[in-house]
Amino acid sequence: MRILIVNVNTTEAITQAIARQAQAVAAPGTEIVGLTPYFGTDSVEGNFESYLAAIAVMDRVLAYDQPYDAVIQAGYGEHGREGLQELLDVPVVDITDAGASAAMFLGHAYSVVTSLDRTVPLIEDRLKLSGLFARCASVRASGLGVLELESQPLRAVEAIVQQAEQAVREDKAEVICLGCGGMAGLDDQIRQRTGVPVVDGVTAAVKVAESLVQLGLSTSKVRTYATPRTKKIVGWPMQLGR
Amino acid sequence: MRILIVNVNTTEAITQAIARQAQAVAAPGTEIVGLTPYFGTDSVEGNFESYLAAIAVMDRVLAYDQPYDAVIQAGYGEHGREGLQELLDVPVVDITDAGASAAMFLGHAYSVVTSLDRTVPLIEDRLKLSGLFARCASVRASGLGVLELESQPLRAVEAIVQQAEQAVREDKAEVICLGCGGMAGLDDQIRQRTGVPVVDGVTAAVKVAESLVQLGLSTSKVRTYATPRTKKIVGWPMQLGR
Amino acid sequence: MRILIVNVNTTEAITQAIARQAQAVAAPGTEIVGLTPYFGTDSVEGNFESYLAAIAVMDRVLAYDQPYDAVIQAGYGEHGREGLQELLDVPVVDITDAGASAAMFLGHAYSVVTSLDRTVPLIEDRLKLSGLFARCASVRASGLGVLELESQPLRAVEAIVQQAEQAVREDKAEVICLGCGGMAGLDDQIRQRTGVPVVDGVTAAVKVAESLVQLGLSTSKVRTYATPRTKKIVGWPMQLGR
Amino acid sequence: MRILIVNVNTTEAITQAIARQAQAVAAPGTEIVGLTPYFGTDSVEGNFESYLAAIAVMDRVLAYDQPYDAVIQAGYGEHGREGLQELLDVPVVDITDAGASAAMFLGHAYSVVTSLDRTVPLIEDRLKLSGLFARCASVRASGLGVLELESQPLRAVEAIVQQAEQAVREDKAEVICLGCGGMAGLDDQIRQRTGVPVVDGVTAAVKVAESLVQLGLSTSKVRTYATPRTKKIVGWPMQLGR
Amino acid sequence: MRILIVNVNTTEAITQAIARQAQAVAAPGTEIVGLTPYFGTDSVEGNFESYLAAIAVMDRVLAYDQPYDAVIQAGYGEHGREGLQELLDVPVVDITDAGASAAMFLGHAYSVVTSLDRTVPLIEDRLKLSGLFARCASVRASGLGVLELESQPLRAVEAIVQQAEQAVREDKAEVICLGCGGMAGLDDQIRQRTGVPVVDGVTAAVKVAESLVQLGLSTSKVRTYATPRTKKIVGWPMQLGR
Amino acid sequence: MRILIVNVNTTEAITQAIARQAQAVAAPGTEIVGLTPYFGTDSVEGNFESYLAAIAVMDRVLAYDQPYDAVIQAGYGEHGREGLQELLDVPVVDITDAGASAAMFLGHAYSVVTSLDRTVPLIEDRLKLSGLFARCASVRASGLGVLELESQPLRAVEAIVQQAEQAVREDKAEVICLGCGGMAGLDDQIRQRTGVPVVDGVTAAVKVAESLVQLGLSTSKVRTYATPRTKKIVGWPMQLGR
């Protein structure tokens, strides 16, 4: 089984970290392929960048010319998953949804700890549309940008732990979701510090993707995610000649 | 006052129809400028196309090099409004929101009649995120595509009237919102046939945009719609050299 | 175009302040007529007074014998708008709804700052019924009564600014709605102090009313707001001989 | 114990029917006093009439100069209960709330059958504000006005039974609430025809009122229903010299 | 009229305290019979114990061989009420529902003060399923276990008063519900300390049960609470030979 | 890895069918152990039976004396999962939740098709508590009891397909969840007939359980699902001497 995991930003190092994280939990026989968009920003922290990433992710996946069994969109709270679901016949899993979904099997309420405060409403909105918000205790921001999480891991752990502890104590969260692709690998440290299960969306998404493939399930094509009607795309230079 | 009204598809005729419709209700002294995206599809009927349109609309607005006071995104239920709000300092009005907002001043519940069934969940989701769904009685599809609405106006009116009548009778709608930019101008006919107020999102949006400008109000920049952090956009050929 | 703006209390000075505020933003050619109810209390701060005001507003509007194009009910969170909508053929705009509706075009969440704590549930309930509560971050009370806002403007600005700042910082509001007719004119000062857009319901309502008139839209008469059945009103001395 | 039960319309025959119905289920020692408002309409079927009734009910209760232990407002889905709660120290029970509350002890979902379709949104809104709507399967209208229910009991039973049966079969109601004060006494017949419990709001309200009095409970005065501030009511000829 | 009131734990002293509390408010002619389950735990503080109590309560009621008119389940936020409703033809009243229902007649919002923090989500969930959560301001835990409430009444009052005061001040509760069968009798003290009405679920349930019996109302048998199909229960030694 | 899958009824043939179904999708190295409760009813179709099953499932799992890594409760919409989560340190997965969770990755809305109409509210309530109801289009009943599904497979397929088709056409479901443990194995036939993905809760639960184990995640013990306090269970003959 081959699973594509697509980063939402153009930072190759994050793609590699995500892919490693994914491969580490993959079943024997599952090949993880990390993809970096051909265009976009080196971190995604807001709506404009997220919309651009949505298209960049679709563009990158369409440009991949080998067979694959599922696609993971590895950005937390980003736009675009619905578009991929229309374009592809294989299952599409967003790490936001996979993380929340796993968390709900583990506790009565979960909180998300993400990077910047400005992305909190975006994450909340995505969880609402995904129908996974009813048991969300809170979405909290560490105040560190995506790249700072990468470059300053110690400070990142501290900032995230602090928010996670407040989520547990004040918001009554029983599980913490790491709300950022760039947080891959921090879950063990944070679990030890907070005493509650910590869900990493990337690894959760790998298991969801594998599960759907193994069960022979894929996106329903009867309505919302039906294949787009055949149309000419005008003036769009992307995904050509690749 | 100059208001940009941006079509979401690449069909120039629709842009012109929308702009005419907008100009017809504009206050004296308001100049309406219709913009057609440089890229995208000739109609937008689903998530992939809508995400592409989101970026195309932002690209087109950024390429406009004259001063302007407000921007209207003239696609019903489409993605992208939040990105424009981040990028611009002037008010941004989505016709979906403007239509629903006006409808709520007119009746206890409203219904939307749109083009294809596949876009219904998209519209419902956008209205939910906009916080304008609580009094939405239903979103109904006429079954005609965006371009068929343009090319077959008689058939379009019949199909829309039929859905509107069902919305009033069965779903208890008291107001009908025309759920498609391409329906501009059909409101009078449909009002006569159904006996309830019919809101056209385009004209409603013009009045909202004018109102916000006159009141000196624009997008809040403290959190969700703060200006994007300064970043290099990699590999993105759009909005260059225009 | 003539728009009636009806105060909910019997304090003539407040009526005049509201009318001035309204006229200041009205379009050329729009005449604002301020009306004071013939009966009621000199400020409205609770359910009993609000119910009395509801009837007093209807009574006052019915007693007005000149033609007019729209009516604005200028009380924040008060009862009665639905009754006016039944009685009149022209559009009726409540400043509560107009303020919230405008705020939702400006930010992801808004808060209301009102006078006394006891009116907070009343305002929340009115916003819920109007279907405009989903993006309301909070309703906060300055602790000052309606007439104190009038008589002690400096203290009022301080108290309101303090609540507005807490709304932005703690409740994550991105826009502030002034939740009291008597606050007319304070918006500029508060905007400068808080850094977020401040919506005054009175001015917002003027633009909504003008917009609906210009678009030829008025209250739907098919169900909730149908004209009352013809009945004799027994024992009611109001609105007679005026 | 003396309980005032106040009709919302001015039809004395309905007041008497309600009072008889109430007395029939009252505990030994409970005296029921039926009150008819001094002003208003002979039936209440919409918002204007309901707002007028709200004031008329408060006026009538304030004019009653004997001691009493509780007040029942006997109009289904009408405005005003919150005002009475402010004005009085004794418990106030609305038959809408009492009926829904009883119904929720009897089945998983209940439906209301009322008089005219135009009052359905009013009833739904009142139930929403009362926090009793979550298990409401539907509010259905028999299509008969309040006075027709009185004057044509056979036709009324048929029309109500038909809606009740549809509520059970289609909306999955397990209990029916009679949604109109004027339906008092029809419950037995309808129960026999539909096979589900039928709750009459009037009798339910008597038991709630008695219960609250016996438990020594009354309206909380700390916030929403605090006694109105002392103010002069200007120009209001009601409740004077009675 | 005979009403069974069933404790959820096996502590006979609590059963007796509850029964006394119930008898004290019962109408003349109402006989209260307190029942203690034959099996279970001496206090119920969590899901496992609550599920066990659900069955133990049903078992104990089925073993009671005298006629009775209604059953009260005297555990706050516990499982099982729906099962009793299926098994019995007489009304079944849960003290959680009875308390919340009474509280909603008294104030705009209510809070529950219960024993241990771990039971808070259980209570919230039960209130949600009962459709009585919309006006719940908060559920707060005193931190004392059920038996500590019994054995240390002074400390219990302090802990409960403290939470009640916070509920009123911070959560804007206007009424307090005592969220534990074992709190029976503390209501007067707490009312004096907090100044808001305090509802004891046990006494509220007695009045609801009496009311339903007097009104001739009982559980609807058309769907959710239909009598179980006739089936052999295998291997279940309970409720045999009693 | 060893996963216990516990039937909720006492019909051994259903246990075996479920276990076979589970084993068929289990990863290499996963051992599925099917368990039948020691007591209860041969099918579970309502609240009383479901509460009894809740205890029977806990009893059966506690009596199992070999090590295991996860537990699946294989009853659709049944009570008890929360109790197991308290009692165990390994992950507990309910097939209701697993099915809904998988369905939400596949389409915008899902419907459940279950056995008897009387269990519909039970399933809806369980999905609401699990926070997985927001995208549930409907829960529909085939009208066949659990054992009839077993004994009359052809008729069962017809009845289920008919409801599934209505769910897709009328309720706008894009995915169907089989709402009964006894439906195991029907998914392929129904998928072919309806054209939408069909999720079997049993197989979905196996993959969730495996995934959680592989990710090293288990139930949070900080609040709702904390291990029960140490207490003596009185008078309970179950789970002794096994």
Side-chain angles (χ1 to χ4, degrees):
Chain A
M1 185 189 316
R2 180 183 288 152
I3 297 175
L4 308 186
I5 186 160
V6 201
N7 188 5
V8 294
N9 61 48
T10 58
T11 303
E12 184 65 28
I14 292 185
T15 306
Q16 290 179 19
I18 290 170
R20 270 194 310 272
Q21 181 84 354
Q23 190 70 61
V25 301
T30 296
E31 177 195 2
I32 300 291
V33 175
L35 298 179
T36 306
Y38 293 130
F39 60 88
T41 48
D42 57 2
S43 65
V44 176
E45 296 162 331
N47 276 288
F48 160 63
E49 295 166 11
S50 181
Y51 275 120
L52 189 57
I55 288 296
V57 164
M58 294 185 231
D59 173 79
R60 187 61 192 87
V61 171
L62 289 184
Y64 185 80
D65 60 0
Q66 302 295 314
Y68 51 89
D69 298 286
V71 173
I72 294 171
Q73 176 163 331
Y76 208 90
E78 307 307 350
H79 296 291
R81 186 249 307 148
E82 308 95 319
L84 271 178
Q85 288 180 292
E86 283 181 9
L87 292 171
L88 307 179
D89 288 326
V90 300
V92 175
V93 179
D94 182 300
I95 64 168
T96 322
D97 300 339
S101 196
M104 289 162 75
F105 286 103
L106 302 175
H108 195 270
Y110 69 92
S111 284
V112 176
V113 182
T114 187
S115 52
L116 298 182
D117 182 59
R118 67 178 295 161
T119 68
V120 169
L122 190 45
I123 292 172
E124 291 175 342
D125 278 357
R126 293 300 293 176
L127 287 169
K128 282 177 190 167
L129 287 193
S130 292
L132 298 166
F133 193 68
R135 288 163 66 199
C136 180
S138 59
V139 180
R140 285 176 166 271
S142 67
L144 296 179
V146 171
L147 299 182
E148 293 168 303
L149 294 174
E150 278 293 294
S151 63
Q152 308 182 32
L154 286 184
R155 194 173 147 221
V157 169
E158 276 316 304
I160 294 168
V161 163
Q162 191 178 339
Q163 292 300 318
E165 283 174 347
Q166 286 188 43
V168 172
R169 199 171 50 238
E170 296 171 21
D171 310 333
K172 305 298 185 186
E174 304 183 6
V175 185
I176 298 295
C177 284
L178 295 180
C180 181
M183 290 180 185
L186 302 185
D187 50 346
D188 277 342
Q189 298 176 64
I190 297 164
R191 183 181 305 125
Q192 288 165 20
R193 296 282 299 277
T194 60
V196 302
V198 177
V199 176
D200 171 63
V202 170
T203 55
V206 171
K207 304 318 283 184
V208 171
E210 288 180 340
S211 298
L212 295 176
V213 172
Q214 285 160 7
L215 295 174
L217 293 168
S218 190
T219 304
S220 178
K221 290 291 173 178
V222 296
R223 196 184 194 210
T224 311
Y225 305 127
T227 304
R229 292 171 137 196
T230 307
K231 294 178 186 175
K232 203 173 60 170
I233 301 180
V234 177
W236 171 244
M238 301 288 113
Q239 209 278 312
L240 296 172
R242 297 191 196 284
Chain B
M1 184 188 316
R2 181 183 288 154
I3 297 175
L4 307 186
I5 186 159
V6 200
N7 188 5
V8 294
N9 61 49
T10 58
T11 302
E12 184 65 29
I14 292 185
T15 306
Q16 292 180 17
I18 290 171
R20 271 194 310 271
Q21 180 84 356
Q23 190 69 62
V25 300
T30 297
E31 176 196 2
I32 300 291
V33 176
L35 297 180
T36 307
Y38 293 131
F39 59 88
T41 49
D42 57 3
S43 66
V44 175
E45 296 162 331
N47 277 288
F48 159 64
E49 295 166 12
S50 179
Y51 275 120
L52 189 57
I55 288 297
V57 164
M58 293 185 231
D59 172 78
R60 187 61 192 85
V61 171
L62 290 183
Y64 185 82
D65 58 2
Q66 303 295 313
Y68 51 89
D69 299 286
V71 173
I72 294 171
Q73 177 164 329
Y76 208 89
E78 308 306 351
H79 297 290
R81 185 250 308 151
E82 308 94 321
L84 270 178
Q85 287 179 293
E86 285 180 7
L87 292 171
L88 306 180
D89 288 326
V90 301
V92 176
V93 179
D94 182 300
I95 64 168
T96 323
D97 300 340
S101 197
M104 289 163 76
F105 285 104
L106 303 174
H108 194 271
Y110 69 92
S111 284
V112 176
V113 182
T114 187
S115 53
L116 298 182
D117 182 60
R118 68 178 295 162
T119 68
V120 169
L122 190 45
I123 292 172
E124 291 175 342
D125 278 357
R126 293 300 293 176
L127 287 169
K128 282 178 191 166
L129 288 192
S130 291
L132 298 167
F133 194 68
R135 288 163 67 197
C136 180
S138 59
V139 180
R140 284 176 168 269
S142 67
L144 296 178
V146 171
L147 299 182
E148 293 168 303
L149 294 174
E150 279 292 295
S151 62
Q152 309 182 30
L154 287 184
R155 197 175 144 217
V157 169
E158 277 316 303
I160 293 168
V161 164
Q162 192 178 339
Q163 292 301 317
E165 285 175 341
Q166 286 187 42
V168 172
R169 200 171 49 237
E170 296 171 19
D171 310 332
K172 305 296 184 188
E174 304 183 6
V175 184
I176 298 296
C177 284
L178 294 180
C180 181
M183 291 180 184
L186 303 185
D187 49 346
D188 277 342
Q189 299 176 63
I190 298 165
R191 183 182 303 123
Q192 288 166 20
R193 295 282 299 277
T194 59
V196 303
V198 177
V199 177
D200 172 62
V202 170
T203 55
V206 171
K207 305 319 284 184
V208 171
E210 287 180 340
S211 298
L212 296 176
V213 173
Q214 286 160 5
L215 295 173
L217 294 168
S218 191
T219 304
S220 177
K221 289 292 173 179
V222 296
R223 196 186 194 209
T224 312
Y225 306 126
T227 304
R229 295 171 135 195
T230 307
K231 294 179 186 175
K232 199 171 63 165
I233 300 180
V234 178
W236 172 243
M238 302 288 112
Q239 210 276 310
L240 297 172
R242 298 190 195 285
Chain C
M1 185 188 318
R2 180 183 289 152
I3 297 175
L4 308 186
I5 186 160
V6 200
N7 188 4
V8 294
N9 61 48
T10 57
T11 302
E12 184 64 28
I14 293 186
T15 306
Q16 290 178 19
I18 290 170
R20 271 195 310 273
Q21 181 84 353
Q23 190 69 62
V25 300
T30 297
E31 176 196 3
I32 300 291
V33 176
L35 298 180
T36 307
Y38 293 130
F39 60 88
T41 48
D42 58 2
S43 66
V44 176
E45 297 161 331
N47 277 288
F48 159 63
E49 296 165 10
S50 180
Y51 275 120
L52 189 57
I55 288 296
V57 164
M58 294 186 231
D59 173 79
R60 186 64 192 85
V61 171
L62 289 184
Y64 185 81
D65 59 1
Q66 302 294 312
Y68 51 89
D69 298 286
V71 174
I72 293 171
Q73 177 163 330
Y76 208 89
E78 307 307 352
H79 296 290
R81 186 249 307 148
E82 308 95 320
L84 272 179
Q85 288 180 291
E86 283 180 9
L87 293 171
L88 306 179
D89 287 327
V90 300
V92 176
V93 179
D94 182 300
I95 65 169
T96 323
D97 300 340
S101 196
M104 290 162 76
F105 285 104
L106 303 174
H108 196 270
Y110 69 92
S111 284
V112 175
V113 182
T114 187
S115 52
L116 298 182
D117 183 59
R118 67 178 296 162
T119 68
V120 169
L122 190 45
I123 292 172
E124 291 175 342
D125 278 356
R126 293 300 294 176
L127 287 169
K128 282 178 191 167
L129 287 193
S130 292
L132 298 167
F133 194 68
R135 288 163 67 197
C136 180
S138 59
V139 180
R140 284 176 167 271
S142 67
L144 296 178
V146 171
L147 299 182
E148 294 167 302
L149 294 174
E150 279 292 296
S151 62
Q152 309 181 32
L154 286 184
R155 195 173 146 220
V157 168
E158 275 317 303
I160 294 168
V161 163
Q162 192 178 339
Q163 292 300 318
E165 283 174 347
Q166 285 188 44
V168 172
R169 200 171 51 238
E170 295 171 22
D171 310 333
K172 304 297 185 187
E174 305 183 6
V175 184
I176 298 297
C177 284
L178 295 181
C180 181
M183 290 180 184
L186 302 185
D187 50 346
D188 276 342
Q189 298 176 65
I190 297 165
R191 182 182 304 122
Q192 287 165 21
R193 295 282 299 278
T194 59
V196 302
V198 177
V199 176
D200 172 63
V202 170
T203 54
V206 171
K207 305 319 281 184
V208 171
E210 288 180 340
S211 298
L212 296 177
V213 173
Q214 286 160 4
L215 295 174
L217 293 169
S218 190
T219 305
S220 177
K221 289 290 173 180
V222 297
R223 196 185 193 210
T224 310
Y225 306 126
T227 304
R229 293 173 136 195
T230 307
K231 294 178 186 175
K232 202 173 62 168
I233 299 180
V234 178
W236 171 244
M238 301 287 116
Q239 210 276 312
L240 297 173
R242 297 191 195 285
Chain D
M1 184 188 316
R2 180 183 290 152
I3 297 174
L4 307 186
I5 186 160
V6 200
N7 188 5
V8 294
N9 61 48
T10 57
T11 303
E12 184 64 28
I14 293 185
T15 307
Q16 291 178 19
I18 290 170
R20 272 195 309 272
Q21 179 85 355
Q23 190 68 63
V25 301
T30 297
E31 176 196 2
I32 300 292
V33 176
L35 298 179
T36 307
Y38 293 130
F39 60 87
T41 47
D42 57 3
S43 66
V44 176
E45 296 162 331
N47 277 287
F48 160 63
E49 295 166 10
S50 180
Y51 275 120
L52 189 58
I55 288 297
V57 164
M58 293 185 233
D59 172 79
R60 186 62 193 85
V61 171
L62 290 184
Y64 185 82
D65 59 1
Q66 303 294 314
Y68 51 88
D69 299 285
V71 173
I72 294 171
Q73 176 164 330
Y76 209 89
E78 308 307 352
H79 296 290
R81 186 249 309 149
E82 308 94 320
L84 272 179
Q85 287 179 294
E86 285 181 8
L87 293 171
L88 307 180
D89 287 328
V90 300
V92 176
V93 179
D94 181 301
I95 64 169
T96 323
D97 300 341
S101 197
M104 289 163 76
F105 285 103
L106 302 174
H108 195 271
Y110 70 91
S111 284
V112 176
V113 182
T114 187
S115 52
L116 298 181
D117 183 60
R118 68 178 295 162
T119 68
V120 169
L122 190 45
I123 292 172
E124 291 175 343
D125 278 357
R126 293 300 294 176
L127 287 169
K128 282 178 191 166
L129 287 193
S130 292
L132 298 167
F133 194 68
R135 288 162 69 196
C136 180
S138 59
V139 180
R140 284 177 167 268
S142 67
L144 296 179
V146 171
L147 299 182
E148 293 168 304
L149 293 174
E150 278 293 295
S151 62
Q152 309 181 30
L154 287 184
R155 195 174 147 218
V157 169
E158 277 315 303
I160 294 168
V161 164
Q162 192 178 339
Q163 292 301 316
E165 283 174 347
Q166 285 188 43
V168 172
R169 199 170 51 237
E170 295 171 20
D171 309 333
K172 304 296 184 187
E174 304 183 5
V175 185
I176 297 297
C177 284
L178 294 181
C180 181
M183 290 179 185
L186 303 184
D187 49 346
D188 277 342
Q189 299 176 63
I190 298 164
R191 184 182 302 123
Q192 287 165 21
R193 296 282 299 276
T194 59
V196 303
V198 177
V199 177
D200 172 63
V202 170
T203 55
V206 172
K207 305 318 285 183
V208 171
E210 288 180 340
S211 298
L212 296 176
V213 173
Q214 286 160 5
L215 295 174
L217 293 168
S218 191
T219 304
S220 178
K221 290 290 172 179
V222 297
R223 196 185 195 210
T224 311
Y225 306 127
T227 304
R229 294 171 134 195
T230 306
K231 293 179 187 176
K232 199 172 65 170
I233 300 181
V234 178
W236 171 242
M238 302 288 113
Q239 211 276 309
L240 297 172
R242 297 191 195 283
Chain E
M1 185 189 318
R2 180 182 289 153
I3 297 175
L4 307 186
I5 186 159
V6 200
N7 188 4
V8 295
N9 62 49
T10 58
T11 301
E12 185 63 28
I14 293 185
T15 307
Q16 291 178 17
I18 290 170
R20 270 195 309 272
Q21 180 85 354
Q23 190 69 62
V25 300
T30 297
E31 177 196 1
I32 301 291
V33 176
L35 297 180
T36 308
Y38 293 131
F39 60 90
T41 49
D42 57 2
S43 66
V44 175
E45 296 162 331
N47 276 289
F48 160 63
E49 295 165 10
S50 179
Y51 275 120
L52 189 57
I55 288 296
V57 164
M58 294 185 230
D59 173 80
R60 186 62 192 87
V61 171
L62 289 184
Y64 184 80
D65 59 1
Q66 303 295 314
Y68 51 89
D69 298 287
V71 174
I72 294 171
Q73 177 164 328
Y76 209 89
E78 307 307 352
H79 297 290
R81 186 249 307 148
E82 307 95 319
L84 271 178
Q85 287 179 293
E86 283 181 8
L87 292 171
L88 307 180
D89 287 327
V90 300
V92 176
V93 179
D94 182 300
I95 64 169
T96 322
D97 300 340
S101 196
M104 289 162 76
F105 286 104
L106 303 174
H108 195 270
Y110 70 93
S111 283
V112 176
V113 182
T114 188
S115 52
L116 297 182
D117 182 59
R118 67 178 295 163
T119 68
V120 169
L122 190 45
I123 291 171
E124 292 175 342
D125 278 357
R126 293 300 294 177
L127 287 169
K128 281 177 192 167
L129 287 192
S130 292
L132 298 166
F133 194 68
R135 288 162 67 197
C136 181
S138 59
V139 180
R140 285 177 167 270
S142 68
L144 296 179
V146 172
L147 299 182
E148 293 168 303
L149 294 174
E150 280 293 295
S151 63
Q152 308 182 31
L154 287 184
R155 196 174 147 220
V157 169
E158 277 316 304
I160 294 168
V161 164
Q162 192 178 339
Q163 292 300 317
E165 284 174 347
Q166 285 188 44
V168 172
R169 200 170 50 238
E170 296 171 21
D171 309 333
K172 305 297 186 187
E174 304 182 5
V175 185
I176 298 295
C177 285
L178 294 181
C180 180
M183 290 180 185
L186 302 185
D187 49 347
D188 277 342
Q189 299 176 65
I190 298 164
R191 182 180 306 124
Q192 287 165 20
R193 295 282 298 277
T194 59
V196 302
V198 177
V199 177
D200 171 63
V202 170
T203 55
V206 171
K207 304 320 281 184
V208 171
E210 288 180 340
S211 298
L212 296 177
V213 173
Q214 286 160 5
L215 295 174
L217 293 169
S218 190
T219 305
S220 178
K221 289 291 174 180
V222 297
R223 197 185 193 210
T224 311
Y225 305 127
T227 304
R229 292 172 136 194
T230 307
K231 293 179 187 175
K232 203 173 62 170
I233 300 180
V234 178
W236 171 245
M238 301 287 115
Q239 209 277 311
L240 295 172
R242 298 189 194 284
Chain F
M1 184 190 316
R2 179 184 290 155
I3 297 175
L4 308 187
I5 186 160
V6 200
N7 188 5
V8 294
N9 62 48
T10 57
T11 302
E12 184 64 28
I14 293 185
T15 307
Q16 291 179 19
I18 290 169
R20 270 194 309 272
Q21 180 85 354
Q23 191 68 64
V25 300
T30 296
E31 177 195 2
I32 300 292
V33 176
L35 297 180
T36 307
Y38 291 131
F39 59 88
T41 48
D42 56 3
S43 66
V44 175
E45 294 161 332
N47 277 288
F48 160 63
E49 296 166 10
S50 180
Y51 274 120
L52 188 57
I55 288 298
V57 163
M58 294 185 231
D59 171 79
R60 186 62 193 86
V61 171
L62 290 184
Y64 185 81
D65 59 2
Q66 303 295 312
Y68 53 88
D69 299 286
V71 173
I72 294 171
Q73 177 164 329
Y76 209 89
E78 307 307 352
H79 297 289
R81 185 250 308 149
E82 308 94 322
L84 271 179
Q85 286 180 294
E86 284 181 8
L87 293 171
L88 306 181
D89 288 326
V90 299
V92 175
V93 180
D94 182 301
I95 64 169
T96 323
D97 301 341
S101 197
M104 289 162 76
F105 285 104
L106 303 174
H108 195 270
Y110 70 92
S111 285
V112 176
V113 182
T114 187
S115 52
L116 298 181
D117 182 60
R118 68 178 294 162
T119 67
V120 169
L122 190 44
I123 291 172
E124 290 175 343
D125 278 356
R126 294 299 294 176
L127 287 169
K128 282 178 191 166
L129 287 193
S130 291
L132 298 167
F133 194 69
R135 287 163 69 197
C136 181
S138 59
V139 180
R140 285 177 165 268
S142 68
L144 296 178
V146 171
L147 299 182
E148 293 168 302
L149 294 173
E150 278 294 293
S151 62
Q152 308 182 31
L154 288 183
R155 196 175 145 217
V157 169
E158 277 315 303
I160 294 167
V161 164
Q162 192 178 338
Q163 292 301 317
E165 283 174 347
Q166 285 188 42
V168 172
R169 200 171 50 236
E170 296 170 20
D171 310 332
K172 304 297 184 187
E174 304 183 5
V175 185
I176 297 296
C177 283
L178 294 180
C180 180
M183 290 179 185
L186 303 184
D187 50 344
D188 276 343
Q189 299 175 64
I190 298 165
R191 183 182 303 124
Q192 288 166 21
R193 296 281 299 277
T194 60
V196 303
V198 177
V199 176
D200 172 62
V202 170
T203 54
V206 171
K207 305 318 285 183
V208 171
E210 288 180 340
S211 297
L212 296 176
V213 172
Q214 285 160 7
L215 295 174
L217 293 168
S218 191
T219 304
S220 177
K221 290 291 173 180
V222 297
R223 195 186 195 209
T224 311
Y225 305 126
T227 304
R229 294 172 135 196
T230 306
K231 294 180 186 173
K232 200 172 63 166
I233 300 180
V234 178
W236 172 243
M238 302 288 111
Q239 210 276 311
L240 297 173
R242 298 191 194 283

